[in-house]
Amino acid sequence: MSDQTEVSRKTTRSNREESAKIQHMMNVGWGAALVSVGITVIGILLGTAGGFTFMAVDPTVFLDILLILGLAYGVYRRSRICAVVLFLFFVSSKLVMLLADGRAVLSVVPSLVIWGYFYLQGVRGTFAYHRRIKQPGFVWIPPAGRSSGKTEHFLSRTIEEASQAKEGEENGRTDRQESANRRE
């Protein structure tokens, strides 16, 4: 086995592990948003059907649900802006709750800490994704189930091109010249 093949395997393993960690952080962020929406919907249903007031139902709750769903989709699609807005929206809504009802400290503060952590993971994941994807030699490897089955072929081709590009630079050739030569 050549040294280049061994380096390629180690790079692939490292990229796969780091991609999985970053994806997990993003999944935690948008997953927490979906759970939050689910809890809100259950609260609305209990409040309207059960005859007791679990949650005040007004039109702004539905806007809240739509906004969180949209931002969760944005985090799913790896948007840094959506992740930051989701986190800030959550924190600001909890701070408004604290200011509106000072007695709710015992219920708002633990929620702020726990859910804030989950949303912050989404922010960290999206920023890590964009930081790493710009680095040369890093190849994003999507987790199983999110690709069309062409990932391994694409991955092996990309790693080969990256390693050949380094060899081409040593010989004075550019990446474009190297890829043009492979196509011919």
Side-chain angles (χ1 to χ4, degrees), residues 7-122:
V7 169
S8 177
R9 285 185 180 168
K10 287 180 180 178
T11 303
T12 302
R13 190 177 325 123
S14 172
N15 287 348
R16 181 174 284 124
E17 290 168 0
E18 189 159 2
S19 295
K21 288 177 186 177
I22 291 170
Q23 186 66 48
H24 176 72
M25 286 191 285
M26 289 186 290
N27 288 348
V28 166
W30 65 264
L34 293 181
V35 170
S36 174
V37 166
I39 290 171
T40 304
V41 168
I42 289 171
I44 290 171
L45 293 174
L46 287 176
T48 56
F52 61 93
T53 306
F54 176 70
M55 174 182 281
V57 179
D58 57 9
T60 59
V61 174
F62 297 109
L63 290 175
D64 183 54
I65 290 171
L66 290 175
L67 178 65
I68 292 174
L69 283 175
L71 292 172
Y73 180 71
V75 174
Y76 174 78
R77 299 287 298 173
R78 303 179 185 105
S79 168
R80 292 173 287 192
I81 293 172
C82 289
V84 169
V85 170
L86 181 63
F87 176 73
L88 293 176
F89 177 71
F90 172 75
V91 170
S92 65
S93 69
K94 292 302 176 185
L95 291 177
V96 166
M97 286 178 155
L98 276 175
L99 294 175
D101 186 17
R103 298 172 296 157
V105 173
L106 292 177
S107 65
V108 173
V109 172
S111 169
L112 181 64
V113 171
I114 294 169
W115 289 93
Y117 170 78
F118 294 144
Y119 291 131
L120 189 60
Q121 289 300 309

